[in-house]
Amino acid sequence: MCTAISYQTEHHYFGRNLDLERGYGEGVVITPRRCPLPLRHLPSLTEHYAMIGMAAVAENYPLYFEATNETGLSMAGLNFPDNAAYAEVSEGYDNVASFELIPYLLGKYATVEEVRRALKTLRVVHTPFSEELPVSPLHWMIADAAKTITLECTREGMKVYDNPFGVLTNNPTFDYHLTNVSNYMHLHEGPAKNRLGDGLPVGNYSLGMGALGLPGDFSSASRFVRAVFVKEHSVCDGSERASVNQFFHILSSVAMPRGCVLAHDGQYEYTRYSSCCNTDSGVYYYTTYDTPTVRRIDMHSVDLDTAVLYSYPMDE
């Protein structure tokens, strides 16, 4: 369970809530341009765009949950159980394992349109990282300052959707979310209007009644609608401080407190961390469940021409 958003003020921002019942040793990871990225079915990327994001590092490989590269292209993987179906390795295609997809696309491409073209000859394949780290069922949101798309691999094949909302959550498939939002197009930030009947003794007894019906539960469909509503009605002065602050407030509107969402294994899912990256400057901000203070790491504060990962453990 997760929520990702793309947000524009004077700069472009990209980030997400990671909602899980446990962690995987994740931390902020910077992958410099010459850090080798081995691929299971393609030649290694030995020179590529630098990137920053949250990742678990295994065998010196960054398993990114989400990341932004130095050109401003961003990508996040979100849980997509029961729907995700990856392909078998096929000749004539660029076969990329699902765990490789974020560093592969961010390493090679600078814009969403470049990614869209590349996906025509790419197959996301069912190759695990290891026995201890099996394949995760995911779909992805990919964004730059100009455009956002959603990538899903299902039993019907790969599908690429334009994402005009700049929001992604989890199941059902994205075409459902595109339709479901229309059920809430009457919501607004002002007072409710009386359409029940002229002369009836009804009126606004509180601020915010124009948004009556906005879903407040933690299901992925409800979080999608709520994130769209809050993001579309977001107001800030556009400065870096105000934009980052507002971004985290948008994410907090769909965050999960521990104890409200029971997972299948009997544990509670909660928002382990929230992230926000200024994709123009490469500055990555994050908060954690137990430490809500915003911390920042600047991708350009390190040598981006080295071959060694920079890893910053997440302060719990």
Side-chain angles (χ1 to χ4, degrees):
M1 306 286 280
C2 301
T3 306
I5 63 173
S6 173
Y7 180 60
Q8 184 76 47
T9 60
E10 291 182 6
H11 294 280
H12 178 240
Y13 299 86
F14 182 92
R16 59 100 58 80
N17 286 339
L18 183 83
D19 307 323
L20 285 175
E21 68 273 21
R22 52 156 295 186
Y24 292 88
E26 61 270 17
V28 181
V29 176
I30 299 173
T31 302
R33 302 180 187 109
R34 291 189 171 87
C35 183
L37 293 170
L39 302 169
R40 299 297 172 88
H41 308 290
L42 293 171
S44 297
L45 294 180
T46 55
E47 292 195 15
H48 49 76
Y49 291 122
M51 63 195 78
I52 185 171
M54 194 69 76
V57 177
E59 300 175 16
N60 204 43
Y61 193 93
L63 300 170
Y64 278 112
F65 300 167
E66 90 283 336
T68 294
N69 74 12
E70 60 186 303
T71 73
L73 182 67
S74 303
M75 185 171 178
L78 285 77
N79 199 28
F80 196 46
D82 302 322
N83 281 313
Y86 304 130
E88 299 298 324
V89 175
S90 304
E91 291 188 9
Y93 291 97
D94 295 324
N95 297 285
V96 180
S98 57
F99 69 85
E100 301 169 335
L101 193 60
I102 291 179
Y104 177 80
L105 292 177
L106 296 189
K108 287 177 64 71
Y109 303 110
T111 67
V112 166
E113 286 306 316
E114 288 181 11
V115 170
R116 191 194 292 271
R117 290 193 293 270
L119 290 175
K120 295 178 181 179
T121 56
L122 186 146
R123 290 290 180 271
V124 183
V125 298
H126 193 276
T127 302
F129 183 84
S130 65
E131 290 185 7
E132 295 75 22
L133 294 172
V135 173
S136 297
L138 301 172
H139 61 174
W140 294 269
M141 188 165 88
I142 308 168
D144 58 25
K147 186 175 287 291
T148 302
I149 60 174
T150 297
L151 169 63
E152 295 183 340
C153 300
T154 67
R155 294 171 186 84
E156 289 74 38
M158 179 187 290
K159 297 182 180 181
V160 181
Y161 299 93
D162 286 322
N163 184 338
F165 304 109
V167 169
L168 186 63
T169 56
N170 311 102
N171 290 334
T173 53
F174 191 69
D175 54 348
Y176 170 88
H177 294 293
L178 285 172
T179 300
N180 184 53
V181 171
S182 295
N183 293 323
Y184 301 92
M185 62 183 179
H186 60 284
L187 301 179
H188 60 94
E189 75 280 18
K193 297 179 180 179
N194 174 25
R195 293 189 172 92
L196 189 61
D198 293 338
L200 293 178
V202 296
N204 288 273
Y205 55 81
S206 171
L207 294 175
M209 291 183 66
L212 277 174
L214 180 68
D217 62 87
F218 297 105
S219 67
S220 55
S222 294
R223 283 184 288 108
F224 190 100
V225 172
R226 197 157 69 252
V228 169
F229 178 85
V230 176
K231 185 171 86 80
E232 288 300 312
H233 291 87
S234 173
V235 176
C236 74
D237 65 18
S239 66
E240 181 74 356
R241 184 182 181 88
S243 298
V244 172
N245 185 49
Q246 190 72 358
F247 193 99
F248 281 113
H249 279 298
I250 296 169
L251 288 178
S252 70
S253 74
V254 289
M256 292 183 182
R258 187 188 284 118
C260 292
V261 179
L262 186 64
H264 297 301
D265 59 4
Q267 299 187 66
Y268 290 103
E269 285 201 350
Y270 64 99
T271 301
R272 288 186 52 79
Y273 76 81
S274 301
S275 68
C276 168
C277 187
N278 181 325
T279 69
D280 299 322
S281 66
V283 176
Y284 183 92
Y285 303 87
Y286 75 98
T287 67
T288 65
Y289 190 86
D290 293 316
T291 309
T293 303
V294 177
R295 281 144 288 177
R296 70 188 295 277
I297 297 175
D298 186 348
M299 174 168 60
H300 297 283
S301 67
V302 302
D303 184 356
L304 294 180
D305 285 316
T306 65
V308 180
L309 289 175
Y310 295 90
S311 184
Y312 305 85
M314 190 163 62
D315 177 14
E316 292 296 332

PDB file of all heavy atoms in Angstrom, residues 93-115:
ATOM      1  N   TYR A  93      13.770  -8.405 -27.653  1.00  0.00           N
ATOM      2  CA  TYR A  93      13.326  -7.363 -26.739  1.00  0.00           C
ATOM      3  C   TYR A  93      14.433  -7.047 -25.738  1.00  0.00           C
ATOM      4  O   TYR A  93      15.339  -7.853 -25.507  1.00  0.00           O
ATOM      5  CB  TYR A  93      12.074  -7.806 -25.969  1.00  0.00           C
ATOM      6  CG  TYR A  93      10.843  -7.918 -26.830  1.00  0.00           C
ATOM      7  CD1 TYR A  93      10.442  -9.152 -27.338  1.00  0.00           C
ATOM      8  CD2 TYR A  93      10.074  -6.799 -27.129  1.00  0.00           C
ATOM      9  CE1 TYR A  93       9.307  -9.261 -28.122  1.00  0.00           C
ATOM     10  CE2 TYR A  93       8.941  -6.896 -27.912  1.00  0.00           C
ATOM     11  CZ  TYR A  93       8.562  -8.134 -28.407  1.00  0.00           C
ATOM     12  OH  TYR A  93       7.440  -8.230 -29.193  1.00  0.00           O
ATOM     13  N   ASP A  94      14.340  -5.874 -25.144  1.00  0.00           N
ATOM     14  CA  ASP A  94      15.205  -5.528 -24.020  1.00  0.00           C
ATOM     15  C   ASP A  94      14.553  -6.096 -22.759  1.00  0.00           C
ATOM     16  O   ASP A  94      13.562  -5.563 -22.263  1.00  0.00           O
ATOM     17  CB  ASP A  94      15.361  -4.014 -23.903  1.00  0.00           C
ATOM     18  CG  ASP A  94      16.090  -3.412 -25.095  1.00  0.00           C
ATOM     19  OD1 ASP A  94      17.009  -4.066 -25.611  1.00  0.00           O
ATOM     20  OD2 ASP A  94      15.722  -2.299 -25.509  1.00  0.00           O
ATOM     21  N   ASN A  95      15.088  -7.212 -22.271  1.00  0.00           N
ATOM     22  CA  ASN A  95      14.515  -7.906 -21.124  1.00  0.00           C
ATOM     23  C   ASN A  95      15.104  -7.337 -19.840  1.00  0.00           C
ATOM     24  O   ASN A  95      16.309  -7.441 -19.594  1.00  0.00           O
ATOM     25  CB  ASN A  95      14.800  -9.409 -21.217  1.00  0.00           C
ATOM     26  CG  ASN A  95      14.150 -10.041 -22.434  1.00  0.00           C
ATOM     27  OD1 ASN A  95      12.944 -10.250 -22.460  1.00  0.00           O
ATOM     28  ND2 ASN A  95      14.950 -10.334 -23.457  1.00  0.00           N
ATOM     29  N   VAL A  96      14.245  -6.734 -19.024  1.00  0.00           N
ATOM     30  CA  VAL A  96      14.675  -6.077 -17.792  1.00  0.00           C
ATOM     31  C   VAL A  96      13.890  -6.669 -16.631  1.00  0.00           C
ATOM     32  O   VAL A  96      12.653  -6.717 -16.674  1.00  0.00           O
ATOM     33  CB  VAL A  96      14.453  -4.552 -17.871  1.00  0.00           C
ATOM     34  CG1 VAL A  96      14.893  -3.874 -16.586  1.00  0.00           C
ATOM     35  CG2 VAL A  96      15.196  -3.967 -19.068  1.00  0.00           C
ATOM     36  N   ALA A  97      14.592  -7.149 -15.616  1.00  0.00           N
ATOM     37  CA  ALA A  97      13.923  -7.657 -14.423  1.00  0.00           C
ATOM     38  C   ALA A  97      13.212  -6.518 -13.705  1.00  0.00           C
ATOM     39  O   ALA A  97      13.631  -5.355 -13.764  1.00  0.00           O
ATOM     40  CB  ALA A  97      14.931  -8.326 -13.499  1.00  0.00           C
ATOM     41  N   SER A  98      12.141  -6.844 -13.001  1.00  0.00           N
ATOM     42  CA  SER A  98      11.355  -5.794 -12.350  1.00  0.00           C
ATOM     43  C   SER A  98      12.184  -5.004 -11.347  1.00  0.00           C
ATOM     44  O   SER A  98      12.023  -3.788 -11.220  1.00  0.00           O
ATOM     45  CB  SER A  98      10.125  -6.395 -11.670  1.00  0.00           C
ATOM     46  OG  SER A  98      10.495  -7.389 -10.723  1.00  0.00           O
ATOM     47  N   PHE A  99      13.112  -5.666 -10.635  1.00  0.00           N
ATOM     48  CA  PHE A  99      13.926  -4.944  -9.652  1.00  0.00           C
ATOM     49  C   PHE A  99      14.958  -4.037 -10.310  1.00  0.00           C
ATOM     50  O   PHE A  99      15.505  -3.140  -9.669  1.00  0.00           O
ATOM     51  CB  PHE A  99      14.614  -5.926  -8.689  1.00  0.00           C
ATOM     52  CG  PHE A  99      15.703  -6.766  -9.312  1.00  0.00           C
ATOM     53  CD1 PHE A  99      17.002  -6.288  -9.418  1.00  0.00           C
ATOM     54  CD2 PHE A  99      15.425  -8.045  -9.779  1.00  0.00           C
ATOM     55  CE1 PHE A  99      18.005  -7.060  -9.994  1.00  0.00           C
ATOM     56  CE2 PHE A  99      16.427  -8.826 -10.349  1.00  0.00           C
ATOM     57  CZ  PHE A  99      17.718  -8.334 -10.457  1.00  0.00           C
ATOM     58  N   GLU A 100      15.229  -4.260 -11.590  1.00  0.00           N
ATOM     59  CA  GLU A 100      16.181  -3.425 -12.334  1.00  0.00           C
ATOM     60  C   GLU A 100      15.523  -2.222 -12.996  1.00  0.00           C
ATOM     61  O   GLU A 100      16.222  -1.331 -13.485  1.00  0.00           O
ATOM     62  CB  GLU A 100      16.846  -4.247 -13.451  1.00  0.00           C
ATOM     63  CG  GLU A 100      17.608  -5.468 -13.001  1.00  0.00           C
ATOM     64  CD  GLU A 100      18.016  -6.362 -14.160  1.00  0.00           C
ATOM     65  OE1 GLU A 100      17.327  -6.321 -15.218  1.00  0.00           O
ATOM     66  OE2 GLU A 100      18.999  -7.095 -14.017  1.00  0.00           O
ATOM     67  N   LEU A 101      14.200  -2.200 -13.049  1.00  0.00           N
ATOM     68  CA  LEU A 101      13.520  -1.268 -13.941  1.00  0.00           C
ATOM     69  C   LEU A 101      13.787   0.196 -13.587  1.00  0.00           C
ATOM     70  O   LEU A 101      14.041   1.012 -14.480  1.00  0.00           O
ATOM     71  CB  LEU A 101      12.012  -1.552 -13.921  1.00  0.00           C
ATOM     72  CG  LEU A 101      11.208  -0.863 -15.020  1.00  0.00           C
ATOM     73  CD1 LEU A 101      11.680  -1.293 -16.406  1.00  0.00           C
ATOM     74  CD2 LEU A 101       9.719  -1.147 -14.849  1.00  0.00           C
ATOM     75  N   ILE A 102      13.748   0.542 -12.301  1.00  0.00           N
ATOM     76  CA  ILE A 102      13.975   1.944 -11.932  1.00  0.00           C
ATOM     77  C   ILE A 102      15.393   2.388 -12.271  1.00  0.00           C
ATOM     78  O   ILE A 102      15.572   3.395 -12.980  1.00  0.00           O
ATOM     79  CB  ILE A 102      13.627   2.191 -10.457  1.00  0.00           C
ATOM     80  CG1 ILE A 102      12.110   2.085 -10.260  1.00  0.00           C
ATOM     81  CG2 ILE A 102      14.125   3.571 -10.000  1.00  0.00           C
ATOM     82  CD1 ILE A 102      11.652   2.289  -8.825  1.00  0.00           C
ATOM     83  N   PRO A 103      16.451   1.689 -11.819  1.00  0.00           N
ATOM     84  CA  PRO A 103      17.790   2.165 -12.198  1.00  0.00           C
ATOM     85  C   PRO A 103      18.048   2.085 -13.698  1.00  0.00           C
ATOM     86  O   PRO A 103      18.784   2.921 -14.244  1.00  0.00           O
ATOM     87  CB  PRO A 103      18.734   1.247 -11.406  1.00  0.00           C
ATOM     88  CG  PRO A 103      17.923   0.071 -11.011  1.00  0.00           C
ATOM     89  CD  PRO A 103      16.516   0.572 -10.851  1.00  0.00           C
ATOM     90  N   TYR A 104      17.448   1.112 -14.384  1.00  0.00           N
ATOM     91  CA  TYR A 104      17.650   0.996 -15.829  1.00  0.00           C
ATOM     92  C   TYR A 104      17.052   2.199 -16.564  1.00  0.00           C
ATOM     93  O   TYR A 104      17.746   2.856 -17.354  1.00  0.00           O
ATOM     94  CB  TYR A 104      17.015  -0.298 -16.345  1.00  0.00           C
ATOM     95  CG  TYR A 104      17.117  -0.481 -17.844  1.00  0.00           C
ATOM     96  CD1 TYR A 104      18.297  -0.944 -18.433  1.00  0.00           C
ATOM     97  CD2 TYR A 104      16.044  -0.177 -18.679  1.00  0.00           C
ATOM     98  CE1 TYR A 104      18.390  -1.106 -19.816  1.00  0.00           C
ATOM     99  CE2 TYR A 104      16.132  -0.339 -20.059  1.00  0.00           C
ATOM    100  CZ  TYR A 104      17.308  -0.789 -20.611  1.00  0.00           C
ATOM    101  OH  TYR A 104      17.408  -0.940 -21.981  1.00  0.00           O
ATOM    102  N   LEU A 105      15.782   2.511 -16.304  1.00  0.00           N
ATOM    103  CA  LEU A 105      15.145   3.598 -17.032  1.00  0.00           C
ATOM    104  C   LEU A 105      15.708   4.960 -16.622  1.00  0.00           C
ATOM    105  O   LEU A 105      15.945   5.823 -17.473  1.00  0.00           O
ATOM    106  CB  LEU A 105      13.629   3.563 -16.811  1.00  0.00           C
ATOM    107  CG  LEU A 105      12.901   2.367 -17.435  1.00  0.00           C
ATOM    108  CD1 LEU A 105      11.421   2.410 -17.091  1.00  0.00           C
ATOM    109  CD2 LEU A 105      13.102   2.310 -18.947  1.00  0.00           C
ATOM    110  N   LEU A 106      15.931   5.158 -15.324  1.00  0.00           N
ATOM    111  CA  LEU A 106      16.493   6.436 -14.890  1.00  0.00           C
ATOM    112  C   LEU A 106      17.950   6.575 -15.294  1.00  0.00           C
ATOM    113  O   LEU A 106      18.448   7.695 -15.457  1.00  0.00           O
ATOM    114  CB  LEU A 106      16.363   6.589 -13.376  1.00  0.00           C
ATOM    115  CG  LEU A 106      14.942   6.651 -12.813  1.00  0.00           C
ATOM    116  CD1 LEU A 106      14.976   7.028 -11.331  1.00  0.00           C
ATOM    117  CD2 LEU A 106      14.059   7.626 -13.583  1.00  0.00           C
ATOM    118  N   GLY A 107      18.646   5.465 -15.446  1.00  0.00           N
ATOM    119  CA  GLY A 107      20.038   5.526 -15.878  1.00  0.00           C
ATOM    120  C   GLY A 107      20.194   5.892 -17.342  1.00  0.00           C
ATOM    121  O   GLY A 107      21.184   6.532 -17.725  1.00  0.00           O
ATOM    122  N   LYS A 108      19.203   5.535 -18.167  1.00  0.00           N
ATOM    123  CA  LYS A 108      19.348   5.700 -19.616  1.00  0.00           C
ATOM    124  C   LYS A 108      18.589   6.879 -20.198  1.00  0.00           C
ATOM    125  O   LYS A 108      18.961   7.394 -21.260  1.00  0.00           O
ATOM    126  CB  LYS A 108      18.864   4.419 -20.319  1.00  0.00           C
ATOM    127  CG  LYS A 108      19.804   3.231 -20.177  1.00  0.00           C
ATOM    128  CD  LYS A 108      19.227   1.993 -20.831  1.00  0.00           C
ATOM    129  CE  LYS A 108      19.061   2.104 -22.325  1.00  0.00           C
ATOM    130  NZ  LYS A 108      20.350   2.082 -23.047  1.00  0.00           N
ATOM    131  N   TYR A 109      17.532   7.327 -19.535  1.00  0.00           N
ATOM    132  CA  TYR A 109      16.624   8.264 -20.189  1.00  0.00           C
ATOM    133  C   TYR A 109      16.428   9.545 -19.375  1.00  0.00           C
ATOM    134  O   TYR A 109      16.551   9.545 -18.149  1.00  0.00           O
ATOM    135  CB  TYR A 109      15.281   7.591 -20.468  1.00  0.00           C
ATOM    136  CG  TYR A 109      15.458   6.343 -21.297  1.00  0.00           C
ATOM    137  CD1 TYR A 109      15.250   5.077 -20.747  1.00  0.00           C
ATOM    138  CD2 TYR A 109      15.894   6.425 -22.613  1.00  0.00           C
ATOM    139  CE1 TYR A 109      15.453   3.929 -21.501  1.00  0.00           C
ATOM    140  CE2 TYR A 109      16.101   5.289 -23.377  1.00  0.00           C
ATOM    141  CZ  TYR A 109      15.881   4.038 -22.811  1.00  0.00           C
ATOM    142  OH  TYR A 109      16.098   2.917 -23.557  1.00  0.00           O
ATOM    143  N   ALA A 110      16.089  10.614 -20.096  1.00  0.00           N
ATOM    144  CA  ALA A 110      15.999  11.945 -19.480  1.00  0.00           C
ATOM    145  C   ALA A 110      14.577  12.463 -19.381  1.00  0.00           C
ATOM    146  O   ALA A 110      14.322  13.387 -18.608  1.00  0.00           O
ATOM    147  CB  ALA A 110      16.849  12.949 -20.273  1.00  0.00           C
ATOM    148  N   THR A 111      13.638  11.904 -20.154  1.00  0.00           N
ATOM    149  CA  THR A 111      12.275  12.418 -20.169  1.00  0.00           C
ATOM    150  C   THR A 111      11.282  11.261 -20.219  1.00  0.00           C
ATOM    151  O   THR A 111      11.621  10.134 -20.604  1.00  0.00           O
ATOM    152  CB  THR A 111      12.014  13.327 -21.386  1.00  0.00           C
ATOM    153  OG1 THR A 111      12.077  12.526 -22.586  1.00  0.00           O
ATOM    154  CG2 THR A 111      13.032  14.452 -21.465  1.00  0.00           C
ATOM    155  N   VAL A 112      10.040  11.569 -19.890  1.00  0.00           N
ATOM    156  CA  VAL A 112       8.976  10.575 -19.984  1.00  0.00           C
ATOM    157  C   VAL A 112       8.784  10.118 -21.420  1.00  0.00           C
ATOM    158  O   VAL A 112       8.560   8.931 -21.681  1.00  0.00           O
ATOM    159  CB  VAL A 112       7.665  11.154 -19.402  1.00  0.00           C
ATOM    160  CG1 VAL A 112       6.466  10.294 -19.784  1.00  0.00           C
ATOM    161  CG2 VAL A 112       7.756  11.274 -17.895  1.00  0.00           C
ATOM    162  N   GLU A 113       8.884  11.044 -22.368  1.00  0.00           N
ATOM    163  CA  GLU A 113       8.689  10.651 -23.767  1.00  0.00           C
ATOM    164  C   GLU A 113       9.778   9.691 -24.233  1.00  0.00           C
ATOM    165  O   GLU A 113       9.504   8.763 -25.009  1.00  0.00           O
ATOM    166  CB  GLU A 113       8.625  11.892 -24.655  1.00  0.00           C
ATOM    167  CG  GLU A 113       7.318  12.659 -24.526  1.00  0.00           C
ATOM    168  CD  GLU A 113       6.090  11.783 -24.758  1.00  0.00           C
ATOM    169  OE1 GLU A 113       6.100  10.976 -25.715  1.00  0.00           O
ATOM    170  OE2 GLU A 113       5.138  11.894 -23.978  1.00  0.00           O
ATOM    171  N   GLU A 114      11.007   9.875 -23.772  1.00  0.00           N
ATOM    172  CA  GLU A 114      12.064   8.911 -24.097  1.00  0.00           C
ATOM    173  C   GLU A 114      11.740   7.546 -23.512  1.00  0.00           C
ATOM    174  O   GLU A 114      11.940   6.508 -24.158  1.00  0.00           O
ATOM    175  CB  GLU A 114      13.411   9.411 -23.569  1.00  0.00           C
ATOM    176  CG  GLU A 114      13.991  10.582 -24.329  1.00  0.00           C
ATOM    177  CD  GLU A 114      15.344  11.006 -23.774  1.00  0.00           C
ATOM    178  OE1 GLU A 114      15.924  10.268 -22.953  1.00  0.00           O
ATOM    179  OE2 GLU A 114      15.815  12.087 -24.154  1.00  0.00           O
ATOM    180  N   VAL A 115      11.242   7.522 -22.287  1.00  0.00           N
ATOM    181  CA  VAL A 115      10.857   6.253 -21.659  1.00  0.00           C
ATOM    182  C   VAL A 115       9.726   5.602 -22.431  1.00  0.00           C
ATOM    183  O   VAL A 115       9.750   4.385 -22.682  1.00  0.00           O
ATOM    184  CB  VAL A 115      10.453   6.480 -20.188  1.00  0.00           C
ATOM    185  CG1 VAL A 115       9.811   5.225 -19.607  1.00  0.00           C
ATOM    186  CG2 VAL A 115      11.658   6.883 -19.354  1.00  0.00           C
TER     187      VAL A 115
END
